[in-house]
Structures are given as C-alpha cells and as structure tokens.
C-alpha cells in the first residue's frame, strides 16, 4: 500500500509540475497576444481621435468636441480631450467621473510631445490608456486619450487556469486509476501468487509449477526466486525420499547417495560427459528464445546424474538459437548445477557425421529392423573429423584436471575414446552404447569395423544395456581385430590396455511426482474426444519404434471388439526426428496416411480412434498423459532399452495403468509384469490392448506395483553408481599402443 501511495505521489507531483509549467507558458503567451491586440486597437483609435480633435483644440473650437466624442466613444471605449495643461476639455460619460485632476500619462504625452500608454485601474476596472499629443505647428496644444476596457485580460487568464485545473484533475484521476490497476495485475497479484506458492511449498504439500512471473518486470529476480524455490523443493523431496527409504530399511540409490558416493570415491575429480544430443536446446520463436529439452532417452538418463554430480557436458549445439545464447552456459538456467559446453558443427559435418554415418550407417546396422545401412566414405570421414573435434574440446576442458572421469555416450563417438586416451592416459574413460550391438556377422558389413572397434577399445570400460549385447560385442572383437578377449572377466586386452565390457541396464530417476495429476476427463475434453478410455504412445518418429505396426494393431482391436468404438482413444505423441534423412521423411508420411485412413474408416463425426500429435512435447505435458492414461504402448521392433516404458512406470504414483511392451526392447528383460508383445504379430498386440483395458483393477495394480519397485530400485542413480564404481576399480593409468 505504501508503495502504491509513493508511486501515485510521484506521478501526481510530476503531472502537476508538467501541466502547471505548460499552463503558465500558455497563459503568458495568451496574455501577450491579447495585450498586443489591445494596444493596436488603442493606437488606431488614438490616431483617429487625434485627427478629428487636433484642429478643434488648435482653433479653441470647443463646440466640436461633443461630435468627436459621439463619433469615437463606445461602451468599451472611453474618449477624453485635454488642453495643453492637462485639464479635461471633454470626456465620454463612462470615463468622465473617474478622471482625476491630471492623468500622469496625459502630462507625459504633452511634455514629451509623444504618445504615452499604460495599464491603469479606472473606476475599479483594469483599463488600457493610450494618450496622443494634439499639436499645432508641431508643438503640443493638448492631448486626446483613449480608454479601452482591459478587464477581459484577467478573466481570460483565470478561465485558462481553471481549464488547466480541470484537465489536471481528470489526468490525475485517470493516471491514478490506471496505475493502481496495473500495479495490482502486474505486481501485487503475481507477488501474492508467488508468496502463496512459496507458502504451499514450505508446507510440504505437493505443488504445481510456480506461477509465471513477468520476466520483463521482475527479470532475473523472478528467475532467481523460482530457481531457489525449485532447488528447495528438490532438496526437500530428496531428503524426504531418503528418510522414507531409511525408515523402510531400503538401500535404494538416490541423488544424494550418488553425490556422496562420487565425493568419496573420486574426491574432487571432475566428471565430463560427451554426447551428441545436448540436454537443453534454445529455439527461436518469433522474438523470444525458448529453452527445450530434446526428446532423447540419453538426455532423460544423464541429466539427473549431472544435476547430482555437476561437471561439464560437451554436446553438439543444435538448437537454432543456441549460437545466440552461447557455447558455455550453466544448466539449468534457473539454478545451474553443471556446465554445458556446446560444439558447433558445419552443415557438411552434421550431414556426414550425424545424419550420414551415425544414423544411416550405424543406427540401422545395430538394430534388427530390416533397414539396409548406407555406408559412404565421405560420411565416415566427417564422422572421424567430428570425433576429433569433440576430442579436442574435451582435452581442452580437461586441461589441468587430474585423472578426470569421462563418460562418453553412444554410437556417435566410437572413435573418440582412443583419441582421448592417447593424449590423457590418466583419464578414466567409459563408453556407454545406448543401442543394441548386433552379432559379428551383421556388424561385419561395416567397411570401417576395425577403426570402430579399436576406437571404442580406447575406453577403460564399455557398457551395453544387456549381457547379450556385451557378448555380441566381445565376439565381434574376437573375430575382427587382434587382441585377447578374456571371457572369464569380460575384458579385451590389447597391448598394455584392458577394456572391461559389462551390462549396465539404464533407467530413469524415479522421483516423487510434482503436483497433483491432471484428470483424464480434462485431458480428453481438451482433445475434444468423447472417449472415456485413454491409451498413449510417446516416441520419436523412428522406424525402430514400430509405429505403423502399432496403428495396425489398434485398427485390429477396434475391428475385433467394436464395442470399444467411441469409448477408447489412443493418443500418439510423436516427436519429429532426423527429418533430413529420406527414410524418416517417408516414415512420417506413411504414419500420417495410416492414421488418417484408420480415423476415416473407423471414426465418426465425434470420435477419432487415434489422435496423432506430431510435434515436440515437454516433460510436463508428457507426464500428464502418462498419468492420465489406462495404458501405454511401447512396440519397438528392436530397442537397446527404451526409457519411455520406465518413464511411464515412474510417473504412475497411483500404482495403476498397464504397460504394453515389445519383447524386443531391453526393458522387457526387467519389466516382466508388462503385457509383453511381439510387435510384428498384429493379432497378439490387438489382444494385448483388449487385456490392457479389461484387466481386473487388483491385477493391474499388483503388476504396476511390482514394476514400480523394480524401476525404483534399478534407477538411474544406481546405473551411474555402478558404472562409476566399475570405473574406479580399474587399477593404474594405462596407455594405448600406437596403431
Ligand atoms: O537410442 C539412442 C539414442 O541416442 C538415444 O540415446 C536417444 O534417445 C535417441 O537415440 C535420440 O536420437 P537423436 O539424438 O538422434 O534425436
């Protein structure tokens, strides 16, 4: 309130000074104009009277004066004629009573033989007096005076001040009203909402996201408060989580435990992550820049580790506004926990390394999806150069750091481990391969298999999701390059260097939910669907994910069980991916056509069986769908792990919901309570959908409960803890043999 009064006081004073100042100048101007006009009129009248009276006075012909008065006097203009001593010879009636013995202006005009003028008060009224000498042979023989009423000068001045006062009053009222409303809407209310939100946060109840504050108004303060509140909320929920676990005697890995573990095992040694995909991208939307988290299982998994341990994450800056934001930034922007170092790639590098060798070559090579890999020498050359570029950046970042810990991610960087290890043998280097590893025959079609394998074996530790992929890898090494594979301890020895190969099934953070879930009814209402049952799928549009097969199964389900038409809707959140690759463009078209056809053939005016949303959705939105749906479908034709399956389970803090899961995902090895399907078997999948909506609630809950326990225990902190523990066990710094 005091702030408002001060603000309004300031506005009032400013308005008063400005309006008053301008009014003063206006009054002066008006007054000057009016008095000029008055003087001009008086001078004209004076000349005219002089012309008529001069001969009469010169001749002493008094009889003519009355005629002069009659001719020139008016109600607002008095006339007087004087002799050479300044005595009145004749005067018009309205001024006559007020003319004293001698008017000073008259004496002055006669003495100086020149016109005299002045503003005087005559009979209580302001009057302009203009006196001209009457001459004979150029000598003054008398004078003629003109009296013009000048009272209106004052009254017009006053009316101007009055108008100004009214204007000022209205202006002050309006400004005060508008300011009060603006302050209420833009300052008081947001602050009150923020305060209420902070209060709820303090009370320990689950709360939704903080209300948006106007960044242009509160700027960095709002960001800091929000960041601080989020950190507090995270810290509190982590502490509660820890306490709960201790109470139940559970030894689950948590963010805090990982933090402590890293400090104990590695002291102050820094962690460096290298991946192609960055944890946050900046994209330009009109005049603003938005921060998004790319759709990537890798990011979902690695981000909690970096939040817990800090360090440097080196990744390709691929957002269209990344360059504007910069190549080194603290993440998250609201409360930085680690540093993102962005690497810029030219269009040719990106095409050859990412779209070409990594995603048209290695990606189909490693997935059994009957998609022929494309190997081009130019692409491999770019792949090698980009690996070098990242290696150089990593070496720069690590300069001065003692025995750094490096976690290299995925098939984009098969050559990097050897490049780095050669320069920094003291670094502890792990490479985690997020996709499957094929059998040695399949891998053998890669023209650069030797380079790939020797590059990877620069790492001290190579991780895959499953033992099966580890075995495939070791067999590939054994049959392809020189070196000793020690099957008893799953290691490859080449010269002095040993690489350990182990399975580390990746997972998600599995943390308590953030705020109450959105109701299914409100989600469906927003989608405009009359259905009451909801299925969901969340994928990048990729041919490994089995989307066409899934939609065929949905069609089959509605054909076999038509009673569900109008009652069930399947929402597919599909993030566009690798869209420059022709195969991905074809797939997008194929899927859109398939969805349209199914909707046309099975749907009606109100109900569509499939709602296809092919754009980026953020974590909050995806979580809302996970939590509101009856079932989630993951139907990959082949998948290293698949974190959508685990994210869905982690989101279901109501212990409800059914997971339909492809048996060709790594996740199916752990989540045995999912409804496991063969995505190539359409009847099998249709049957699984029916089961998903018809499972008795107790069984549904029991299955979800067991899966949640599994995901809670085998979470991402445990994954990171195990991987780092293995890395720490590796004895002395080793050096790699020159090739
Ligand atoms: O599965 C391999 C992988 O790199 C994942 O880690 C990630 O989810 C996905 O591919 C992302 O692909 P991209 O980075 O090409 O969009």
């Amino acid at each position: 309130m005091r702030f408002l009064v001060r603000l309004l006081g300031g506005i009032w004073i400013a308005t008063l000074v400005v309006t008053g100042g301008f009014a003063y100048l206006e009054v002066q101007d008006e007054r000057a104009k009016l008095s000029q006009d008055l003087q001009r009129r008086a001078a004209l009248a004076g000349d005219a009277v002089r012309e008529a009276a001069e001969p009469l006075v010169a001749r002493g012909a008094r009889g003519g004066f009355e005629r002069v008065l009659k001719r020139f006097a008016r109600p607002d203009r008095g006339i007087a004629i004087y002799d050479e001593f300044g005595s009145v010879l004749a005067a018009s009636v309205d001024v006559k009573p007020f003319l004293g013995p001698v008017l000073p202006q008259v004496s002055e005009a006669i003495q100086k033989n020149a016109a005299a003028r002045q503003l005087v008060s005559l009979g209580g009224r302001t009057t302009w007096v203009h006196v001209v000498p009457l001459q004979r042979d150029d000598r003054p023989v008398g004078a003629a005076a003109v009296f013009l009423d000048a009272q209106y000068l004052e009254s017009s001045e006053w009316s101007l001040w009055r108008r100004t006062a009214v204007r000022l009053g209205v202006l002050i009222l309006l400004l005060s009203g508008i300011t009060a409303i603006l302050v209420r809407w833009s300052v008081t209310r947001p602050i009150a909402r923020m305060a209420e939100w902070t209060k709820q946060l303090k009370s320990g109840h689950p709360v939704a996201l903080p209300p948006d504050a106007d960044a242009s108004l509160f700027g960095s303060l709002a960001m800091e408060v929000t960041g601080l509140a989020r950190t507090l909320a995270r810290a509190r929920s982590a502490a509660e989580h820890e306490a709960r676990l201790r109470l139940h005697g559970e030894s689950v890995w948590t963010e805090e435990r990982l933090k402590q573990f890293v400090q104990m095992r590695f002291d102050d040694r820094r962690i460096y992550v290298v991946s192609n995909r960055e944890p946050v991208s900046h994209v330009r939307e009109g005049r603003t820049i938005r921060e998004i988290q790319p759709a990537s299982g890798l990011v979902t998994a690695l981000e909690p580790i970096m939040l817990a341990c800090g360090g440097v994450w080196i990744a390709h800056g691929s957002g269209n506004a990344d360059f504007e934001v910069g190549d080194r930034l603290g993440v998250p922007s609201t409360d930085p926990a680690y540093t993102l170092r962005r690497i810029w790639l030219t269009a040719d590098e990106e095409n050859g390394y990412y779209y070409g060798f990594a995603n048209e070559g290695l990606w189909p090579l490693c997935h059994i999806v009957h998609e022929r890999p494309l190997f081009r020498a130019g692409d491999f050359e770019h792949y090698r150069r980009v690996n070098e570029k990242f290696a150089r950046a990593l070496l720069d970042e690590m300069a001065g750091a003692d025995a750094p810990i490096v976690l290299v991610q995925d098939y984009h960087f098969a050559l990097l481990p050897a490049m780095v290890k050669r320069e920094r043998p003291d670094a502890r280097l792990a490479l985690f391969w997020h996709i499957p590893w094929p059998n040695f025959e399949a891998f053998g079609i890669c023209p650069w298999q030797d380079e790939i394998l020797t590059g990877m074996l620069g790492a001290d530790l190579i991780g895959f999701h499953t033992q099966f992929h580890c075995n495939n890898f070791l067999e590939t090494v054994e049959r392809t390059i020189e070196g000793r594979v020690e099957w008893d301890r799953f290691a490859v020895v080449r010269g002095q260097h040993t690489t350990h190969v182990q399975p580390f099934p990746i997972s998600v953070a599995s943390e308590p939910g953030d705020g109450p879930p959105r109701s299914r009814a409100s989600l469906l209402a927003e989608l405009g669907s009359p259905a009451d049952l909801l299925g969901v799928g969340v994928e990048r549009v990729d041919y490994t994910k089995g989307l066409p097969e899934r939609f065929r199964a949905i069609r089959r389900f509605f054909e076999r069980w038509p009673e569900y038409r109008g009652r069930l809707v399947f929402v597919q959140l599909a993030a566009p991916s690798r869209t420059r690759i022709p195969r991905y463009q074809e797939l997008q078209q194929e899927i859109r056509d398939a969805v349209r056809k199914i909707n046309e053939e099975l749907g009606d005016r109100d109900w569509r069986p499939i709602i296809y949303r092919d754009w980026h959705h953020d974590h909050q939105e995806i979580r809302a769908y996970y939590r509101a749906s009856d079932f989630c479908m993951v139907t990959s034709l082949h998948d290293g792990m698949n974190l959508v399956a685990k994210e869905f389970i982690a989101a279901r803090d109501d212990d409800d919901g059914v997971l339909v899961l492809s048996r060709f995902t790594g996740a199916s090895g752990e989540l045995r309570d999912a409804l496991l399907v063969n995505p190539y078997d359409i009847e099998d999948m249709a049957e699984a959908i029916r089961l998903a909506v018809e499972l008795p609630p107790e069984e549904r809950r029991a299955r979800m409960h067991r899966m949640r326990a599994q995901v809670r225990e085998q979470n991402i902190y445990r994954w990171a803890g195990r991987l780092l523990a293995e890395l720490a066990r590796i004895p002395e710094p080793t050096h790699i043999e020159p090739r």
Side-chain angles (χ1 to χ4, degrees), residues 224-350:
E224 287 302 321
V225 171
T226 312
L228 199 68
R230 282 209 179 108
T231 312
L232 278 176
R234 268 167 51 86
R236 209 206 31 246
S237 88
E240 283 172 3
H241 193 45
E242 286 281 340
R244 255 199 316 274
L245 293 174
R246 230 172 290 132
L247 210 65
H248 293 109
E250 287 187 44
S251 63
V252 170
W253 278 82
T254 60
E255 180 180 345
E256 195 48 41
R257 181 166 164 195
L258 179 65
K259 220 183 276 180
Q260 300 299 333
F261 172 80
V262 170
Q263 263 165 24
M264 264 169 48
R265 283 288 167 94
F266 297 106
D267 254 341
D268 280 338
R269 289 164 63 181
R270 282 202 109 178
I271 295 186
Y272 298 84
V273 166
V274 182
S275 74
N276 171 69
R277 191 55 68 202
E278 57 183 342
V280 280
S281 286
H282 288 95
V283 289
R284 181 156 275 294
E285 281 176 358
R287 291 171 62 193
T288 57
I289 291 181
R290 196 158 73 95
E291 203 179 278
I292 61 164
Q293 190 168 73
S296 160
L298 182 153
V299 170
T300 310
L302 270 287
E303 165 104 290
I305 299 170
M306 291 304 272
L307 289 176
C309 306
V312 181
W313 187 330
I314 300 171
H316 171 211
S318 54
N320 65 13
D322 279 0
F323 197 73
E324 289 172 70
V325 176
D327 67 351
R328 267 191 100 76
L329 50 148
V331 179
S333 54
T334 47
D335 182 23
Y338 64 92
T339 304
L340 169 62
R341 161 80 194 274
R342 283 175 170 151
I343 306 293
W344 311 121
L345 298 182
T346 63
D348 283 351
E349 283 172 340
E350 196 182 357

Side-chain angles (χ1 to χ4, degrees), residues 276-277 295-299 354 359 363 367 410-412 434-435 540 577-578 639:
N276 171 69
R277 191 55 68 202
S296 160
L298 182 153
V299 170
Y354 173 75
N359 285 317
W363 179 265
H367 289 92
D410 235 352
Y411 58 101
H412 308 91
H434 288 254
I435 60 178
R540 286 182 304 106
S577 176
R578 305 173 189 170
D639 218 328

